[in-house]
Amino acid sequence: MCGVVAVIGKQNASQLVTEGLKKLEYRGYDSAGIVSEVNGAFEIVKSEGKLIRLIEKINKKSSCKLYSENTVALGHTRWATHGNISVENAHPLTSEDKVAVVHNGIIENYEKLKLNLISEGYVFKSQTDTEILPHLFMKYIKLGNDFLQAGRLVLQDIKGAFAFVAISLDFPNQLFVSRNSSPLAIGLGENSNFVGSDAHSIDHLTQKVIYLEDGDHALIKLDEVEIFNKNEKKVNRKVINIKAEIGLVTKGGYKHFMEKEIFEQPSVIPQASSSLIKSNYEINIDLNKLGFKEKNTLLIAAAGTSYYAAMVGKYWIEHIADLPVSIDLASEYRYRKPSVFGQSSMLVISQSGESLDTLMALRHGKKLGLNTNAIVNVEGSTIDREVDYSLYTKVGPEIGVASTKSFTSQLVVLFMIAVALGKKFNNLKPNYIQKIFTYINALPSALAEMLKIEDKIKLIAQNIKNAKSIIFLGRGLLYPLALEGALKLKEISYIHAEGFAAGEMKHGPIALLEDDVPVIMFLISDGHEDKAISNLQEAYSRGAKIILIADKNCIEKATFAHLNIEIPNFETNFKSLLSPFLMAIPAQLLAYHVAIERGTDVDQPRNLAKSVTVE
């Protein structure tokens, strides 16, 4: 996950920025860079690989004044999204050696903006989406705008989930910063100020931190910080003493880790996909290592939330690649004498890479002669070390016990596996793959839109907080989301909840219904919604309280629902295919806010642990 640190008004600013970048190394990155204003010019050093290589490069450069008396510096650790890993693509990116920018996230409309800028004479030296930012700043500064107004014009041009910091030689001792669905903190000092991806990255410089809200932008000077909302209205944001409130340092201004991790999803999805997508719409997954030189059955084993991700993966792989998938609960696999007939490959999924059930299933599969692979978040974990091949979710530490961002990142990897297998075995056409990539790149903004339904979710949470039992329903790709929604709710609110396939209601679970039992259905217009609505009508007729989380079309059809949440519009062709990403957000938010209403321990629910290391 990319990291940003900036310092203005401190001697040896670059040294302090480097110290901040060290604190962000846990996020994962593949290159780093730093820029400082020195005697009216930029001094820039960038390097591939770990931060130590950047520091060594600085120390070896005898002419480098980066660690001399400078008072303004920006630093960045990059995880490649647009463009490969290279010095050219590392941040900072510049325009005409007069504007420099460091940036986290994705600028979705960069291709169109890039073409426009090229037609106006701007020269691009990288493959990144980021490089449009310094060029846009340069364009608007040349038109006579001050730094603040230039930044606002840039924000009007760009779309996406991002956080960035810009400096200009034309406006010395000023920083322009903005965030949209990607975290950014401003630290306050005496005749000095600081910026970091989180408070931890600048806690060696200040005790006072302001967390920008979505859509905010700010102009930072030596002795002043002006913050404006998305309507360009000057606002005051809460100043937090991070020494007095230690928990908030790592919670990023959120009340709980779980809340923070839910809201991080628009910014971490690109981190999960970046290493899997090459330029020219190539997928960076080695199918030979994965065990698919020929078409065989894939076995997926996992536990808990990862198991429900595996269920979604089964739907995707069978639909896109026409390849059979068998899924197994990791805790059951080695105890039932499984057959591996027709199977060549086993894939295990674990956030921590240490789940003992999953590890033991992996070892049993290896003993049976299967090629072993993993989707994990923690590189170097036991599972990562023991499998033949790993694919990483790269979302940084997840502290909340109830998995959120790990779930959606696992979905990203599973979806890319499905597309890779589909290309190999089902002859997917290049234009189809290109279209899929377009929608993957649009996911951060789509998830950011989903997060805006939080206030409606709070109202539903208040409505169901005293329920003794809650039923979740889904069909097709959304059946696993019903299971996941139920799991999240019972994990942290302690309300009994069960998820069912919508068509199974009449085969037993309907006996559980009585007046005012909440029945929550995830529904999308996929051609089968009428049957699902019919299943929901059965529950309504027996007195259940119907809560519908669906698109506009389904809500208009199911007029009998007591409460509904309309998901924002998503492109029609892929609404059904990518719906699990969208529906994960309301499932997580609902569990979170019901738990808040009930006063339970959200981050550390009773009897649960983040990494389950016992069978």
Side-chain angles (χ1 to χ4, degrees):
M1 189 189 313
C2 300
V4 165
V5 180
V7 170
I8 179 171
K10 282 282 190 181
Q11 296 295 323
N12 296 318
S14 297
Q15 181 74 51
L16 300 174
V17 165
T18 304
E19 292 172 10
L21 291 178
K22 289 178 181 177
K23 294 170 176 279
L24 292 173
E25 286 195 282
Y26 75 90
R27 288 170 168 252
Y29 63 100
D30 46 47
S31 62
I34 193 166
V35 58
S36 181
E37 290 183 23
V38 179
N39 298 326
F42 286 151
E43 187 83 37
I44 299 174
V45 179
K46 302 193 286 187
S47 176
E48 295 178 30
K50 295 302 181 182
L51 194 60
I52 186 64
R53 293 182 63 180
L54 178 71
I55 295 170
E56 290 171 351
K57 198 169 182 179
I58 293 170
N59 292 335
K60 289 178 181 178
K61 194 173 179 181
S62 58
S63 62
C64 184
K65 301 176 183 177
L66 209 54
Y67 281 171
S68 61
E69 300 294 310
N70 59 76
T71 59
V72 178
L74 309 183
H76 189 264
T77 52
R78 175 182 186 252
W79 194 267
T81 54
H82 294 72
N84 57 12
I85 301 166
S86 67
V87 170
E88 291 76 20
N89 290 331
H91 299 204
L93 279 302
T94 63
S95 179
E96 300 182 11
D97 296 322
K98 295 190 73 176
V99 176
V101 175
V102 293
H103 159 239
N104 295 345
I106 285 181
I107 308 300
E108 289 178 3
N109 60 335
Y110 83 99
E111 291 178 321
K112 180 179 179 181
L113 293 170
K114 184 175 181 177
L115 290 174
N116 291 340
L117 287 164
I118 290 172
S119 71
E120 294 171 15
Y122 289 91
V123 177
F124 283 75
K125 300 177 181 178
S126 77
Q127 301 166 305
T128 68
D129 57 333
T130 300
E131 195 174 358
I132 65 151
L133 294 174
H135 287 321
L136 286 173
F137 268 98
M138 197 72 245
K139 171 183 175 178
Y140 292 125
I141 289 170
K142 284 181 176 180
L143 292 174
N145 296 286
D146 63 23
F147 204 32
L148 177 61
Q149 189 56 36
R152 286 173 169 172
L153 291 169
V154 172
L155 291 176
Q156 290 175 21
D157 285 344
I158 63 177
K159 297 178 182 179
F162 53 79
F164 68 81
V165 185
I167 56 174
S168 169
L169 294 180
D170 290 321
F171 302 96
N173 293 315
Q174 295 184 29
L175 305 176
F176 182 92
V177 306
S178 181
R179 67 153 286 181
N180 185 48
S181 301
S182 189
L184 206 63
I186 297 174
L188 306 179
E190 188 172 333
N191 292 317
S192 60
N193 290 298
F194 321 98
V195 181
S197 293
D198 59 29
H200 179 58
S201 63
I202 52 177
D203 65 4
H204 60 302
L205 300 169
T206 181
Q207 297 181 13
K208 296 179 179 179
V209 166
I210 297 170
Y211 293 100
L212 293 185
E213 296 186 7
D214 246 11
D216 283 354
H217 61 278
L219 188 68
I220 302 173
K221 302 177 182 179
L222 295 173
D223 56 358
E224 184 181 22
V225 174
E226 295 178 282
I227 301 174
F228 306 86
N229 64 17
K230 61 184 177 182
N231 298 317
E232 300 184 359
K233 180 181 178 181
K234 193 170 182 178
V235 292
N236 294 315
R237 299 299 186 207
K238 183 179 179 182
V239 178
I240 296 171
N241 188 318
I242 59 175
K243 296 299 182 184
E245 298 180 61
I246 291 297
L248 292 177
V249 176
T250 50
K251 291 173 185 171
Y254 292 97
K255 189 175 181 180
H256 299 96
F257 284 110
M258 182 181 178
E259 181 188 20
K260 173 176 178 279
E261 288 154 5
I262 290 172
F263 278 82
E264 282 181 334
Q265 288 171 106
S267 60
V268 301
I269 287 293
Q271 311 305 329
S273 64
S274 63
S275 63
L276 303 178
I277 300 176
K278 294 181 179 179
S279 56
N280 301 320
Y281 307 108
E282 291 295 320
I283 301 169
N284 188 29
I285 296 176
D286 191 326
L287 295 181
N288 288 335
K289 285 185 178 179
L290 199 63
F292 284 94
K293 293 181 181 179
E294 298 177 354
K295 193 171 185 178
N296 290 295
T297 299
L298 173 65
L299 166 67
I300 309 179
T305 287
S306 296
Y307 179 78
Y308 300 142
M311 290 181 68
V312 177
K314 172 184 171 69
Y315 279 85
W316 278 334
I317 293 168
E318 293 187 345
H319 174 80
I320 296 172
D322 189 28
L323 187 147
V325 178
S326 172
I327 57 172
D328 247 291
L329 285 167
S331 58
E332 288 291 311
Y333 182 68
R334 72 185 181 122
Y335 296 109
R336 64 172 185 81
K337 198 176 181 181
S339 169
V340 295
F341 179 79
Q343 297 176 351
S344 63
S345 182
M346 178 187 204
L347 175 67
V348 298
I349 308 174
S350 170
Q351 184 279 140
S352 66
E354 302 293 347
S355 174
L356 191 57
D357 288 328
T358 308
L359 177 61
M360 298 311 291
L362 159 70
R363 289 174 175 170
H364 193 65
K366 184 172 286 191
K367 189 182 297 183
L368 294 175
L370 294 175
N371 183 279
T372 57
N373 312 277
I375 298 174
V376 294
N377 188 40
V378 183
E379 296 184 40
S381 59
T382 304
I383 287 175
D384 180 34
R385 294 194 306 270
E386 293 197 15
V387 293
D388 301 312
Y389 181 48
S390 288
L391 295 166
Y392 304 109
T393 54
K394 302 181 184 295
V395 298
E398 186 179 67
I399 308 301
V401 166
S403 180
T404 53
K405 64 180 181 178
S406 285
F407 176 70
T408 47
S409 65
Q410 288 167 357
L411 293 184
V412 169
V413 180
L414 286 162
F415 187 77
M416 297 314 300
I417 289 173
V419 176
L421 289 170
K423 182 179 179 183
K424 181 178 178 69
F425 295 119
N426 209 21
N427 196 29
L428 296 183
K429 299 295 185 282
N431 62 335
Y432 180 85
I433 296 175
Q434 181 177 344
K435 197 170 187 180
I436 284 176
F437 282 11
T438 299
Y439 287 95
I440 285 291
N441 287 336
L443 271 177
S445 287
L447 296 185
E449 283 295 309
M450 288 299 298
L451 289 167
K452 293 178 182 178
I453 67 173
E454 184 177 24
D455 287 343
K456 294 181 179 179
I457 292 288
K458 288 178 182 178
L459 293 175
I460 291 179
Q462 292 165 8
N463 201 278
I464 65 174
K465 64 182 180 181
N466 294 320
K468 295 181 179 179
S469 184
I470 297 176
I471 291 174
F472 287 77
L473 299 177
R475 182 181 282 272
L477 278 165
L478 297 182
Y479 166 42
L481 265 294
L483 297 170
E484 171 63 6
L487 175 63
K488 283 287 161 289
L489 191 71
K490 56 192 165 192
E491 275 184 315
I492 63 173
S493 76
Y494 314 148
I495 295 176
H496 176 260
E498 294 296 331
F500 298 100
E504 290 298 299
M505 273 292 292
K506 56 187 172 292
H507 294 291
I510 201 167
L512 299 172
L513 296 182
E514 56 188 31
D515 286 350
D516 291 330
V517 170
V519 174
I520 301 170
M521 175 173 272
F522 299 104
L523 190 58
I524 203 84
S525 297
D526 58 1
H528 305 294
E529 66 271 16
D530 290 341
K531 289 185 178 180
I533 291 171
S534 176
N535 301 141
L536 199 60
Q537 181 79 53
E538 295 166 1
Y540 172 77
S541 300
R542 287 156 179 82
K545 181 184 292 182
I546 306 301
I547 300 168
L548 191 59
I549 301 175
D551 61 17
K552 184 177 181 179
N553 175 57
C554 292
I555 288 173
E556 289 176 348
K557 288 183 175 183
T559 56
F560 55 86
H562 297 93
L563 299 166
N564 59 65
I565 295 289
E566 181 182 334
I567 68 167
N569 289 331
F570 199 52
E571 298 294 345
T572 303
N573 291 348
F574 286 85
K575 185 184 290 183
S576 174
L577 200 59
L578 297 181
S579 58
F581 290 104
L582 304 182
M583 293 301 194
I585 299 295
Q588 295 164 2
L589 285 174
L590 185 62
Y592 175 75
H593 284 293
V594 171
I596 293 294
E597 290 291 329
R598 291 170 64 86
T600 58
D601 189 337
V602 172
D603 287 331
Q604 295 181 315
R606 66 189 184 199
N607 305 330
L608 298 177
K610 186 64 181 172
S611 179
V612 181
T613 55
V614 295
E615 282 195 274

